[in-house]
Amino acid sequence: MPKAGKTYGPRIKAPNYAQIDKDAEQQVLKDLGLERPEDAVSARPDDLIVKAARIVEQADAEVALHLDERDQALAHLWFYEQRLGLSRTVGLTPMGHRHVLAKMMFDDKRHPLPDGSNEELVQAAEDAGIERVKDAEEKLLKTAPIVYAARARRDVAVRIMQEAVFALSQTPYDWTPETIAEHAGVERNLIYKQRAAARRRRGL
């Protein structure tokens, strides 16, 4: 909510994240050779897990490439320009948005953010070494959808990986987590986590 006695810059229109979610799912399904998520049940899990692992790897690389620029632009707009509605602009919950800013300022996502007048916010940001970003709005609108889409693709691929891990753990495969990890080219601990997540969904 806007505070009395404090001025704010204009809201930035949010990208269509609902459409980005839909497009991300369709892209992952296409890359996996599926038409619908439920088609994963009848696909070969040993093929699916390799393809899904590559999608996750690519998504992580894309996030790593753009996340810092997104966060720096976000911080500039929040601290130096005091723009409203930034959580929606970047496709985060209000809490997620505050966690990003607190992590940048205090290296602790749960640390309370400073509050006060426009001038006090600017001073707090300068004291914390938050960089000013030229063309911050343009950079935020460029990078935020890229990061969001990559994470959306990752979420879909991880869900498929979890189902593939569960299938490979069962008859007729009966693969161990170590065998699955080696086949997929990922860390063993990841397979244990994914198998546990798939089991929880089944109430096991």
Side-chain angles (χ1 to χ4, degrees), residues 164-191:
V165 167
F166 185 83
L168 290 169
S169 301
Q170 307 300 305
T171 303
Y173 295 93
D174 293 317
W175 286 11
T176 65
E178 290 76 12
T179 300
I180 299 172
E182 183 178 356
H183 179 74
V186 300
E187 293 293 326
R188 180 185 62 181
N189 288 345
L190 175 62
I191 299 302

Side-chain angles (χ1 to χ4, degrees), residues 113-161:
L113 288 173
D115 198 9
S117 67
N118 298 79
E119 293 77 14
E120 288 169 334
L121 266 185
V122 168
Q123 187 62 54
E126 289 177 344
D127 291 345
I130 301 294
E131 295 182 10
R132 292 179 182 268
V133 176
K134 184 180 180 182
D135 301 323
E137 180 177 340
E138 178 183 339
K139 288 178 179 176
L140 187 68
L141 287 173
K142 174 187 173 184
T143 56
I146 294 173
V147 171
Y148 186 96
R151 285 178 166 167
R153 292 195 306 275
R154 187 188 197 282
D155 288 346
V156 175
V158 165
R159 184 70 176 260
I160 298 292
M161 277 190 78

Side-chain angles (χ1 to χ4, degrees), residues 77-97:
L77 291 165
W78 197 84
F79 288 109
Y80 293 118
E81 297 187 24
Q82 290 95 41
R83 308 291 282 270
L84 288 173
L86 287 174
S87 58
R88 185 173 297 177
T89 303
V90 293
L92 295 170
T93 64
M95 185 63 70
H97 159 250

Side-chain angles (χ1 to χ4, degrees), residues 104-117:
M104 291 189 70
M105 177 168 266
F106 303 105
D107 198 29
D108 176 3
K109 71 178 185 178
R110 300 193 182 280
H111 196 288
L113 288 173
D115 198 9
S117 67

